[in-house]
Amino acid sequence: MSLQQLKRRFTSYNKKKEDWVSIRKAYQFALKAHEGQKRVSGDSFITHPLGVACILSELELDLVTILTGLLHDVLEDTTISFEEIEEEFGEEVAVLVDGVTKLSRMEFRSKEEHQAETWRKMFVAMARDIRVLLVKLADRTHNMRTLRYLSSSKQKEIARETLEIYAPLAHRLGISKIKWELEDLAFRYLNPDAYYNLVDKLAKKRREREDFIAQVITILQKKLNETGLKADISGRPKHIYSIYHKMKEQGKDFTEIYDLTAVRIIMKNVRDCYASLGVVHTLWRPIPGQFNDYIAMPKPNMYQSLHTTVVCAKNELLEVQIRTREMHRTAEYGIAAHWKYKEKVKDDKEFEEKLSWLRQLLEWQQDLKDAHEFMELLKIDLFSDEVFVFTPKGDVIDLPKGSVPLDFAYRIHTDIGRQCTGAKVNGRIVPLDYQLKTGDILEIITSKQGTPSRDWLNIVKSSQAKSKIRAWFKRERREENISKGKETLERDIRRLQLEPHLFLRDQLLEDVGKKYNLLSADDVYAAVGYGGVSSKQIITRLRDEYGRIFGEERELPTIEVKPWKGAARASQGVKVQGVDNLLVRFSKCCNPLPGDEIIGFVTRGRGVSIHRADCPNVASLKGPKERFLEVRWEAEGDFSFPVEIEVVAMERPNLLADVMYALSESKVNITAVNGRTTKDKLVIVNLTFVIKDLEQLEHIMDKIRRIKDVYSVGRRSGAGSAS
């Protein structure tokens, strides 16, 4: 790329001399800022921002965007400040450059967290100005063109991110010109064997395909002329990745992909588009189910066209696309073709509607603290295939492929989602986990008494619905979430052989909570309880904060385990320190399990009674210190232990059957079941069964928590005496 190439492209659509002067000034500024810097290829660094600016000029973007393209790496890779860019080129350019800049100067715990936070900042900047993303796409496109200079592992890493994030974003914005290039380039580095194999097969059939398309164009042109329709007809290239994706998705071989040949018809107006469709269908037989009218029902990314597949001579399939010139421009350049800044239109409602998905994204991503979850939901919600369904009034709603009626209900309104009790699809009642199909007409059945169920989180597909459901539980079940979160943190801290009371201090929790926009210790507990942030993340930051306050050189306090004196035998899975041949029994007041902290108490005539260290009855045990013994779990041996849990749920048919099924799946021996119903229509079920350790218990309780209408599951202490 050269400055002259940029000038030719920019001045082809912008004749203002003063604008070109500004671009030349930005080029000189970037050249000086990046002086001495080289790319991995050995080229001067300025070739990259220049290449990005050229790609943006191909999209015919405005002056500010081109300036941003030239300056987009200045904040990140040089000593130039935001204020200097603002002084030289104005606040608008400086804000855009800052929006594009990666968060490379911040410290993150993982690459995934770095990536997630970068995208968060990007989306906030995009909400203010979508040009941030257009520059970022151009930046990635130029980097992909020069990817060959990097190591193989780096190539694959960047190519995978491109295929998973950048290409789908280009699709969301309707910029197929960039989307196709990114997909093909990423495919080449991720699966070179498959890529070059397809390239070779396409090359062998190229002459045959070109001859066929030439014949089709001649026949079509003649017929359209006879009917008085003027059209530009051309062959439409099939992109390599789209062929590969189709083969993989449909499980077909290359020889079974019949629509490798396609033509595009560009008409003067919409009326002529439909007229030419009629001509195509009179010439060749259309295939049922292979016609799509994206003119009457445009895609969310503004794409409009008529698509049909017909059978030509020798049973050759031909895909035909028909659109106007304006539609074709939109198909190639997407949102850039409707760029409001070119016309200086500041209040373009139609333009804003096209970006409604971005506002929705910002809405749900604010509640997601976990980097892994954020990235996964980003890929699912924005970049999965879509289904188009209808409201009873005929309005079109687009949802991610795999969505269910609950996704539809929450898209219409939060209250409709919250109160949803059923759904009708095409007039028939369907279950809430029914997967929607394009063309379905939905009617949501609601009840004022309806409330969300936790298992909805496992059913819904869209991140908007997930965030609304989580928000409800966060608000309505705060006390329960606080209790559950505290219990989870204490347990996980003990597993690390650390002292919970030293780490779960209000000040430490508040300091850690600030990093997740949580203002108090209870907010942190609640967030862990409802799954807004993981226990592992909080404990990692608590340990760091503890080290910062008390000094890195200070060893973290651990639960003291004193050395064992002499040999002792294992009895029922427990070793007693310094004492042999004693009868061991487990206290029924707390039912200790392997994994619990335990303490031994010498009883009169009944051996050593084993209690959980946190058992309330331990404090009431009386006697000399010698009667308290240190005990520990035996690591080896096939032992089993009784445990009782309490399940609290909303009364409904088959609830007990669902709970028992979850237990039977876990292959445990159930010894007792007792249940009752409260006046509030809550069911309380007490279950006693035999397990091996605490980890198995946690697994079973987690399975029961996921059952529909279950509010809480907790371990229950028995009513036995303390001795």
Side-chain angles (χ1 to χ4, degrees), residues 32-309:
K32 185 177 179 182
H34 292 293
E35 189 176 5
Q37 294 179 0
K38 298 281 185 182
R39 303 201 81 207
V40 178
S41 62
D43 294 335
S44 175
F45 191 89
I46 194 63
T47 58
H48 173 61
L50 189 58
V52 171
C54 283
I55 292 169
L56 294 169
S57 67
E58 288 174 5
L59 298 176
E60 298 189 5
L61 288 165
D62 63 313
L63 171 66
V64 170
T65 313
I66 306 298
L67 294 175
T68 303
L70 285 167
L71 301 169
H72 78 275
D73 275 329
V74 165
L75 278 181
E76 184 178 342
D77 295 328
T78 76
T79 57
I80 299 295
S81 67
F82 178 94
E83 290 71 25
E84 288 176 271
I85 297 176
E86 185 178 23
E87 185 180 342
E88 290 291 331
F89 302 100
E91 182 184 6
E92 191 176 10
V93 173
V95 168
L96 281 179
V97 171
D98 183 56
V100 177
T101 301
K102 295 175 187 172
L103 305 185
S104 56
R105 294 174 187 170
M106 292 180 67
E107 291 184 9
F108 297 96
R109 311 205 161 275
S110 68
K111 185 161 189 181
E112 193 168 44
E113 187 178 345
H114 180 283
Q115 188 185 43
E117 292 306 318
T118 300
W119 281 102
R120 283 185 204 272
K121 183 184 179 187
M122 280 263 303
F123 286 128
V124 171
M126 282 158 54
R128 298 195 198 103
D129 200 321
I130 196 67
R131 289 175 294 183
V132 167
L133 182 53
L134 297 177
V135 175
K136 196 71 179 172
L137 285 171
D139 174 42
R140 179 50 60 107
T141 303
H142 188 262
N143 280 331
M144 287 300 294
R145 289 175 181 176
T146 56
L147 200 60
R148 63 186 179 277
Y149 297 106
L150 299 181
S151 66
S152 177
S153 61
K154 198 70 178 172
Q155 287 174 353
K156 282 184 165 54
E157 180 186 322
I158 293 172
R160 185 168 290 106
E161 184 186 50
T162 299
L163 199 58
E164 290 180 351
I165 302 288
Y166 287 93
L169 269 173
H171 171 68
R172 259 296 188 179
L173 296 178
I175 312 173
S176 56
K177 182 183 177 67
I178 284 181
K179 174 196 178 245
W180 290 332
E181 183 177 358
L182 290 177
E183 284 180 341
D184 280 358
L185 286 169
F187 177 40
R188 188 169 111 196
Y189 289 103
L190 286 172
N191 197 338
D193 291 341
Y195 175 85
Y196 287 110
N197 185 35
L198 275 179
V199 169
D200 185 53
K201 287 177 178 176
L202 285 169
K204 288 176 180 176
K205 281 199 166 189
R206 184 177 176 183
R207 174 52 68 99
E208 180 185 331
R209 207 165 54 249
E210 287 176 349
D211 290 345
F212 175 73
I213 289 176
Q215 291 173 21
V216 165
I217 291 175
T218 301
I219 295 168
L220 254 177
Q221 196 76 65
K222 182 181 178 183
K223 195 68 175 177
L224 288 170
N225 288 340
E226 287 175 4
T227 54
L229 294 169
K230 292 184 178 180
D232 290 331
I233 309 173
S234 61
R236 185 179 73 83
K238 267 281 187 182
H239 294 273
I240 296 168
Y241 180 73
S242 68
I243 297 171
Y244 172 77
H245 184 68
K246 196 167 192 176
M247 288 166 58
K248 193 174 179 184
E249 193 177 55
Q250 298 178 4
K252 292 182 176 180
D253 186 68
F254 178 78
T255 56
E256 298 176 282
I257 303 295
Y258 297 112
D259 58 344
L260 295 174
T261 50
V263 295
R264 184 176 290 137
I265 304 173
I266 307 296
M267 305 302 295
K268 184 180 178 182
N269 53 47
V270 173
R271 185 190 62 187
D272 288 352
C273 287
Y274 286 101
S276 62
L277 176 68
V279 171
V280 171
H281 285 177
T282 57
L283 280 169
W284 301 293
R285 178 169 55 86
I287 296 177
Q290 293 297 308
F291 169 67
N292 290 295
D293 187 346
Y294 295 119
I295 292 180
M297 196 168 69
K299 291 185 178 183
N301 64 6
M302 301 176 291
Y303 179 87
Q304 287 184 286
S305 189
L306 297 175
H307 287 199
T308 187
T309 303

Side-chain angles (χ1 to χ4, degrees), residues 14 22 93 98 104 339 368 434 508 519 554 559 572 579 678 688:
N14 186 325
S22 296
V93 173
D98 183 56
S104 56
W339 189 241
L368 294 176
Y434 167 86
L508 276 177
L519 303 180
R554 178 168 172 174
I559 296 170
Q572 293 183 292
V579 182
T678 70
T688 305

Side-chain angles (χ1 to χ4, degrees), residues 330-353:
T330 300
E332 292 286 307
Y333 300 109
I335 209 161
H338 293 267
W339 189 241
K340 62 179 180 178
Y341 291 88
K342 286 194 286 190
E343 305 299 329
K344 302 296 180 186
V345 178
K346 296 297 181 185
D347 298 310
D348 188 340
K349 289 184 180 179
E350 185 181 351
F351 182 87
E352 294 301 328
E353 284 176 11

Side-chain angles (χ1 to χ4, degrees), residues 490-507:
E490 286 179 348
R491 184 192 68 229
D492 290 349
I493 288 172
R494 282 198 183 96
R495 282 179 177 171
L496 296 172
Q497 290 192 322
L498 299 173
E499 291 281 7
H501 74 275
L502 292 175
F503 292 92
L504 299 183
R505 304 178 187 183
D506 285 355
Q507 189 57 54

